[in-house]
Amino acid sequence: MAQRRSHCATAVYNGHIFVFGGGADRFESLGSVVAYDPAADRWSACRDMPTRRSGTVAATVGDKIYVMAGGFKQPNGRFRFLDIVEISFHQRPRGLHMTTATKLVRK
């Protein structure tokens, strides 16, 4: 993983470990998603989530991953809590590809 992070969410899908958001330096919340392929021992960047978030959780249900709640630190120092994001995938010749990240519930 190229960027260190804390308070991120993880989920397993199709043999890959996905890491969603988290907190970077100075509690800056991240919107990035990375995937680890244990068979190839390789990390790769995926499409960003529509909102940055840390302190979140993720769950795999069928062929989707749901990233729930969490939030981010606003410029005024307050923490804003967030929604649920549905992550969809499809298989490409060169591997798994994250196709959509859709907000399901909006606060």
Side-chain angles (χ1 to χ4, degrees):
M1 189 169 4
Q3 183 176 26
R4 65 182 181 186
R5 55 185 78 206
S6 65
H7 301 89
C8 52
T10 59
V12 176
Y13 177 81
N14 199 27
H16 294 74
I17 301 168
F18 289 86
V19 180
F20 300 93
D25 296 332
R26 292 183 280 261
F27 298 103
E28 174 193 356
S29 295
L30 304 170
S32 58
V33 179
V34 293
Y36 178 67
D37 180 352
D41 190 24
R42 181 179 53 229
W43 286 97
S44 54
C46 300
R47 178 182 293 189
D48 285 355
M49 293 182 290
T51 48
R52 56 196 164 108
R53 61 187 64 221
S54 61
T56 187
V57 296
T60 304
V61 180
D63 64 347
K64 295 184 183 341
I65 296 176
Y66 295 88
V67 183
M68 296 155 280
F72 64 92
K73 187 176 178 183
Q74 300 177 87
N76 64 8
R78 293 185 177 197
F79 202 68
R80 177 164 181 228
F81 295 95
L82 295 169
D83 46 25
I84 298 172
V85 173
E86 178 184 84
I87 310 291
S88 299
F89 300 90
H90 76 271
Q91 189 71 36
R92 283 190 168 172
R94 291 184 301 166
L96 200 59
H97 178 69
M98 189 171 121
T99 56
T100 59
T102 308
K103 286 185 183 184
L104 295 182
V105 177
R106 190 177 195 125
K107 276 193 149 187

